[in-house]
Amino acid sequence: MCAAWLLFAGTVSQAAIEAAPPRGEGAGPFQRLILQNVVVINGTGAPAFGPVDLVVEGDRIAALRSPDARQTVSTDSEVRDLSGHYVLPGLIDLHGHIGGDEQGVPAEYVYKLWLAHGITAVRDPGCGNGIDWCVSEQKRSAANQITAPRIYPYVFFGQGREQPMTTPKQAREWVAEMQQRGAVGMKCFGYRPDVLQAAFDELGKRGMGIACHHAQLDVARVNALTTARWGLTTLEHWYGLPEALFDDRQVQAYPADYNYYDEQQRFTEAGRLWAQAAERGTERYEAVIKELLERGVTLDPTFNIYAASRDVMRERQAEWHQRYTLPQLWAFFKPSKISHGSYFFDWGLEQELAWRDNYRRWMAFVDDYKNRGGRVTVGSDSGYIYKVYGFGTIHELEMLREAGFHPLEVIRAATLHGAEALGAQTEIGSIEIGKKADLLVIGENPLANLKLLYATGHPRLREDGEIERVGGVRYTIKDGIVYDAKALLADVEAMVTAAKRERGIEQLPQY
Ligand SMILES: [Zn+2]
């Protein structure tokens, strides 16, 4: 999903949203911060271990020690006894749009929701607010001038060009210019193959990342295998995969009246697409997996963003909407022929059933890819289709689990594998000595129930008959700076309350 994808990406110029205010939250970094008695899930796929004392010095992880080896703590250390808590690497969301003027949400809202869910790094796939805006936010975050995760700007192919690029030379010049302006990668939807291939080549030479959403308008000539051969690094969503898997057709079985701009129709037909691909275990299926593996392509499935397609009522009624969804975002989600992703004009059981079948096949493919050694990452694409920042990322963890991933494989997808896909694995993505202190701390075991990671926690019946909300990230640590995750969530709630008051409403309107 992306603001610009209905139109030619290069011709769209959007107004940027409000940048984040100067940082008013977070404690530290400390000369020495000691998280005592924690259980560590390190992000590499290793099982949990503890209790240990995790020592952070400045912005780096300095030591993991047994509490038995504890010495007298010098007075300049910041010590937190976190008995019963789990510590994970901060989560990495590889498909995190920082809002846009369509959604009308300020960056502060988006960042605080991300951090409240333990997300310490995001890739902005497209830089919909403009490359310069995105790079400015990236730099401010890197310097901890704002309360925000790390940002990795991947700019839309053609952004900033008045006219479509028509020659390989123009594509190469565009890549050079974007790198100079601070982009670390490119996101595309497909394009004229000769021009796009030149861009891939140039990006590869410069060591930049390449993310592709193989949109239907170009997928007949540029599918997942085409771009894999050109040097694709991450495949966004899933489009382009069924097309690479076709063995009895070359083009999706579009009905005669199909019109790509009719979003209900587009998403209805998309729900029938995996059923047209080669079945699991066939020669074609195996050959595609093998080639994607050999070429080192990362799958960034973003399962959660289509969840409403299989159960729209669940997504529309998610328990966090009333308190944490800004009214302007809610309005954007309302079925509409204008808002992208709001395609529920007359969405019924038949569409949902097709999507459930679509998911079954798609999830099997992603799980097979992981089992053969392929890298799969976590991307949310929140800000569309009833998905709210942070909550969508945790739902993605749930859906990877549903696809067959062990909870430790899910956490690895959200941490070390995300870092690897960004080429940032020497700095972030796992709890290892020398790496950045990007961590999340939670008072429950998320491996037992990944839903515990929702900022709103999880309801549990107590012995005394009362229902208690448990879980939710307690601290998010980025660069050694400790954020109170629940306080960030309270800030978001206050923003939502104020926005409702401004509009003279108490509740989000139901329909
Ligand atoms: Zn997107």
Side-chain angles (χ1 to χ4, degrees):
M1 298 300 126
C2 292
W5 83 320
L6 271 176
L7 303 166
F8 169 66
T11 61
V12 173
S13 64
Q14 282 189 66
I17 56 166
E18 203 180 315
R23 181 164 70 90
E25 301 81 13
F30 301 95
Q31 195 172 13
R32 183 173 294 118
L33 166 69
I34 307 178
L35 309 179
Q36 288 186 337
N37 304 311
V38 294
V39 176
V40 170
I41 299 170
N42 72 9
T44 66
F49 58 90
V52 294
D53 290 354
L54 193 160
V55 182
V56 172
E57 287 176 1
D59 61 350
R60 301 266 168 190
I61 298 166
L64 286 165
R65 290 188 193 130
S66 162
D68 300 335
R70 201 174 288 158
Q71 297 146 357
T72 344
V73 177
S74 60
T75 46
D76 57 3
S77 295
E78 171 79 13
V79 180
R80 312 251 170 132
D81 183 353
L82 292 166
S83 300
H85 284 68
Y86 284 70
V87 181
L88 284 67
L91 306 181
I92 299 173
D93 189 328
L94 282 196
H95 204 113
H97 299 287
I98 313 172
D101 59 356
E102 291 178 295
Q103 290 87 352
V105 296
E108 180 184 7
Y109 170 79
V110 178
Y111 297 153
K112 285 188 170 172
L113 277 172
W114 277 334
L115 286 170
H117 287 89
I119 298 159
T120 52
V122 295
R123 182 179 63 171
D124 183 342
C127 304
N129 293 297
I131 182 63
D132 299 331
W133 186 94
C134 191
V135 169
S136 161
E137 290 291 272
Q138 178 242 318
K139 287 183 175 157
R140 295 172 74 214
S141 174
N144 296 307
Q145 292 164 355
I146 55 175
T147 297
R150 299 178 196 283
I151 296 167
Y152 292 81
Y154 271 45
V155 63
F156 282 129
F157 186 55
Q159 193 186 95
R161 289 286 181 269
E162 294 286 315
Q163 295 295 325
M165 288 178 280
T166 54
T167 66
K169 183 166 173 280
Q170 287 172 335
R172 290 183 190 280
E173 286 167 359
W174 177 85
V175 170
E177 182 194 329
M178 289 299 134
Q179 185 179 38
Q180 196 259 326
R181 283 164 74 174
V184 299
M186 177 272 277
K187 153 92 180 280
C188 68
F189 297 103
Y191 213 82
R192 240 180 73 176
D194 57 331
V195 178
L196 189 57
Q197 189 179 1
F200 272 57
D201 185 62
E202 193 63 34
L203 287 152
K205 280 182 184 155
R206 293 168 181 270
M208 297 168 75
I210 306 171
C212 191
H213 163 165
H214 301 80
Q216 274 106 332
L217 291 177
D218 278 304
V219 77
R221 54 182 181 171
V222 179
N223 69 36
L225 281 182
T226 325
T227 53
R229 289 168 189 159
W230 292 349
L232 178 71
T233 55
T234 67
L235 187 142
E236 303 306 303
H237 317 303
W238 55 283
Y239 307 102
L241 280 173
E243 291 84 353
L245 288 161
F246 285 163
D247 60 359
D248 62 350
R249 70 198 66 217
Q250 281 285 299
V251 170
Q252 180 183 338
Y254 298 113
D257 67 346
Y258 182 94
N259 184 333
Y260 183 69
Y261 283 5
D262 176 335
E263 288 209 337
Q264 159 125 0
Q265 190 179 40
R266 188 202 309 179
F267 284 92
T268 296
E269 292 304 320
R272 298 172 179 151
L273 189 44
W274 275 96
Q276 295 164 44
E279 293 276 341
R280 197 175 191 183
T282 58
E283 206 178 309
R284 181 74 188 164
Y285 185 95
E286 294 302 327
V288 169
I289 288 193
K290 187 162 175 277
E291 182 161 358
L292 293 176
L293 271 173
E294 281 167 4
R295 296 186 183 278
V297 173
T298 295
L299 301 185
D300 189 38
T302 72
F303 287 126
N304 81 98
I305 193 62
Y306 307 99
S309 301
R310 70 175 185 180
D311 189 357
V312 66
M313 191 189 294
R314 177 191 189 276
E315 299 308 313
R316 196 171 61 221
Q317 300 299 335
E319 62 186 25
W320 39 81
H321 282 317
Q322 278 301 343
R323 284 169 78 177
Y324 303 107
T325 301
L326 278 171
Q328 58 269 41
L329 185 57
W330 184 249
F332 176 70
F333 289 155
K334 194 172 160 183
S336 151
K337 300 213 169 175
I338 299 160
S339 308
H340 172 49
S342 302
Y343 49 85
F344 304 91
F345 310 158
D346 186 11
W347 194 263
L349 181 61
E350 296 307 314
Q351 284 84 4
E352 291 193 353
L353 291 176
W355 265 92
R356 287 173 206 177
D357 176 69
N358 210 46
Y359 266 116
R360 188 176 56 76
R361 297 165 190 270
W362 173 22
M363 285 180 163
F365 183 90
V366 172
D367 194 41
D368 285 343
Y369 194 67
K370 177 261 299 174
N371 290 340
R372 312 284 168 82
R375 188 187 298 119
V376 178
T377 51
V378 164
S380 65
D381 207 6
S382 292
Y384 299 92
I385 323 182
Y386 299 113
K387 302 311 284 190
V388 181
Y389 309 94
F391 295 100
T393 313
I394 304 306
H395 194 203
E396 187 67 13
L397 306 188
E398 279 194 57
M399 291 182 82
L400 286 168
R401 176 80 187 98
E402 180 183 343
F405 287 47
H406 184 280
L408 286 167
E409 292 175 331
V410 174
I411 299 297
R412 183 177 60 180
T415 56
L416 185 59
H417 281 185
E420 287 174 1
L422 291 168
Q425 69 274 17
T426 57
E427 286 288 274
I428 59 172
S430 60
I431 299 182
E432 293 182 272
I433 292 164
K435 283 203 181 180
K436 286 279 192 182
D438 282 11
L439 306 164
L440 80 79
V441 181
I442 181 169
E444 294 271 336
N445 178 5
L447 300 176
N449 173 15
L450 291 164
K451 289 175 189 280
L452 287 160
L453 287 161
Y454 284 116
T456 42
H458 166 71
R460 183 184 290 157
L461 185 64
R462 285 196 319 222
E463 283 304 313
D464 64 5
E466 293 294 316
I467 295 166
E468 182 183 19
R469 280 266 158 188
V470 297
V473 173
R474 182 166 175 197
Y475 299 119
T476 300
I477 302 176
K478 178 205 160 205
D479 257 342
I481 298 172
V482 182
Y483 294 92
D484 178 335
K486 299 202 186 269
L488 296 178
L489 189 67
D491 288 354
V492 169
E493 184 174 7
M495 291 172 81
V496 170
T497 305
K500 283 178 177 163
R501 196 174 304 128
E502 236 172 65
R503 287 164 176 75
I505 56 170
E506 292 207 350
Q507 296 281 309
L508 298 174
Q510 298 294 306
Y511 45 84

